[in-house]
Amino acid sequence: MANDDMVWEELPKIDADPPRMRDKCIQCRRPIPVCWCLGLPNTRLSPNSRVIILQHPAEVKRCLRTAPMLTYALEPGKCLTFRGKKFPLPHHEGLADILKDPNTVMLYPTNDSVALDTLDPVGINGQKPYNLVILDGTWPQAKAMFHGSPMLYSIRSCKLVGLPTSEYVIRTQPTEGCLSTLETGTFALSILEGNSQLKDELLRPLQYLCRFQLQNGAVTHQSKEWRIKQNTYPKLIGKRLAKQLRVLPEVS
């Protein structure tokens, strides 16, 4: 009974209003202290080509997404995002025409993929601006999106080769060759435009974010592949991932 009396005495002292949420940036929607917008170019960039992001719905829930960095670094209309698990859907206005365009290329590893740097940059041999399609999601999500979207099968598929390790050092990547969506779009766009300076401008928000996080307690993350090879990855992996990484699981 005494405990009940204490509860009723404490009840009026509880604040009826919910705790105040941290102020958020009106652009990136991240809390002001961890906003990366200061790393964006002073003036939005306007390359000849466009980036077309086909985004899995689950990506919206991720707190450390890099696709918005690409969106806000480029002029409106130069980075278009379509969300779904299959493409195109009826509400994806204009996407079907983009996917049918002969100047559309897609970054996705198929058996027929060619190295992106073997394509003519814009303006060389009469090459028109490209539509660069990127699948934004985890590898299993991207695979499901591709196989569930027959219109993607006819697009020229390309791959990036000879790239440096990801600068997204505060997030664990599956393998050493994995890049964030921002990095993928940035490297590909600089190749297709024949303009290496694009990399310096477009990667700055990611560098700003990582530098801030590391200065405030975050630690550098190695890829799962690297940690498995060093026997420091704490989780067991399945045969499929082991095959992908060319690592045989230990047999007890």
Side-chain angles (χ1 to χ4, degrees):
M1 190 68 177
N3 288 339
D4 291 342
D5 292 339
M6 292 178 61
V7 170
W8 285 108
E9 288 177 4
E10 294 293 330
L11 188 60
K13 301 177 183 180
I14 299 176
D15 193 348
D17 295 324
R20 184 174 179 273
M21 300 295 289
R22 289 189 292 177
D23 292 334
K24 292 186 177 181
C25 170
I26 60 174
Q27 180 169 255
C28 70
R29 306 306 302 166
R30 288 179 56 77
I32 294 296
V34 291
C35 167
W36 39 255
C37 292
L38 289 176
L40 291 169
N42 294 328
T43 302
R44 286 192 172 194
L45 307 180
S46 184
N48 296 295
S49 301
R50 295 186 295 181
V51 178
I52 312 299
I53 299 177
L54 306 185
Q55 187 177 75
H56 191 280
E59 281 296 307
V60 181
K61 301 177 183 178
R62 296 182 182 275
C63 61
L64 292 177
R65 298 181 295 137
T66 63
M69 296 179 181
L70 199 55
T71 301
Y72 295 127
L74 299 177
E75 283 281 351
K78 291 297 182 178
C79 183
L80 306 178
T81 299
F82 298 91
R83 192 168 295 126
K85 296 181 180 180
K86 297 181 179 181
F87 303 91
L89 294 175
H91 64 275
H92 292 151
E93 185 177 353
L95 179 57
D97 291 335
I98 293 174
L99 299 181
K100 294 176 183 176
D101 191 316
N103 294 300
T104 294
V105 297
M106 177 177 59
L107 283 174
Y108 189 78
T110 68
N111 293 332
D112 299 322
S113 295
V114 299
L116 193 72
D117 57 10
T118 62
L119 302 183
D120 287 329
V122 175
I124 302 299
N125 296 324
Q127 176 60 53
K128 295 181 179 179
Y130 290 95
N131 297 307
L132 173 66
V133 175
I134 299 174
L135 303 185
D136 185 25
T138 64
W139 276 112
Q141 289 168 350
K143 184 177 180 179
M145 289 158 62
F146 176 76
H147 289 289
S149 308
M151 190 172 285
L152 300 182
Y153 301 169
S154 59
I155 300 176
R156 281 186 294 173
S157 60
C158 302
K159 56 187 176 183
L160 293 167
V161 295
L163 295 177
T165 303
S166 173
E167 293 191 41
Y168 199 1
V169 294
I170 59 173
R171 184 174 180 178
T172 302
Q173 300 290 358
T175 68
E176 290 294 282
C178 286
L179 298 174
S180 65
T181 301
L182 171 68
E183 292 170 304
T184 299
T186 294
F187 286 118
L189 196 59
S190 64
I191 292 171
L192 296 178
E193 293 286 298
N195 182 359
S196 60
Q197 293 182 349
L198 284 172
K199 292 183 291 187
D200 297 332
E201 295 283 344
L202 292 176
L203 291 179
R204 200 165 293 155
L206 179 63
Q207 295 165 346
Y208 182 92
L209 170 65
C210 291
R211 183 167 58 249
F212 176 86
Q213 296 282 14
L214 292 172
Q215 290 173 349
N216 288 273
V219 295
T220 300
H221 288 219
Q222 300 290 349
S223 71
K224 291 181 182 179
E225 177 185 15
W226 186 90
R227 296 188 65 186
I228 290 170
K229 290 179 178 179
Q230 300 298 317
N231 294 319
T232 60
Y233 189 63
K235 298 179 181 179
L236 295 176
I237 61 173
K239 292 182 179 179
R240 181 177 299 177
L241 180 56
K243 183 178 180 181
Q244 178 184 353
L245 300 179
R246 297 182 180 178
V247 176
L248 293 177
E250 294 183 359
V251 180
S252 57

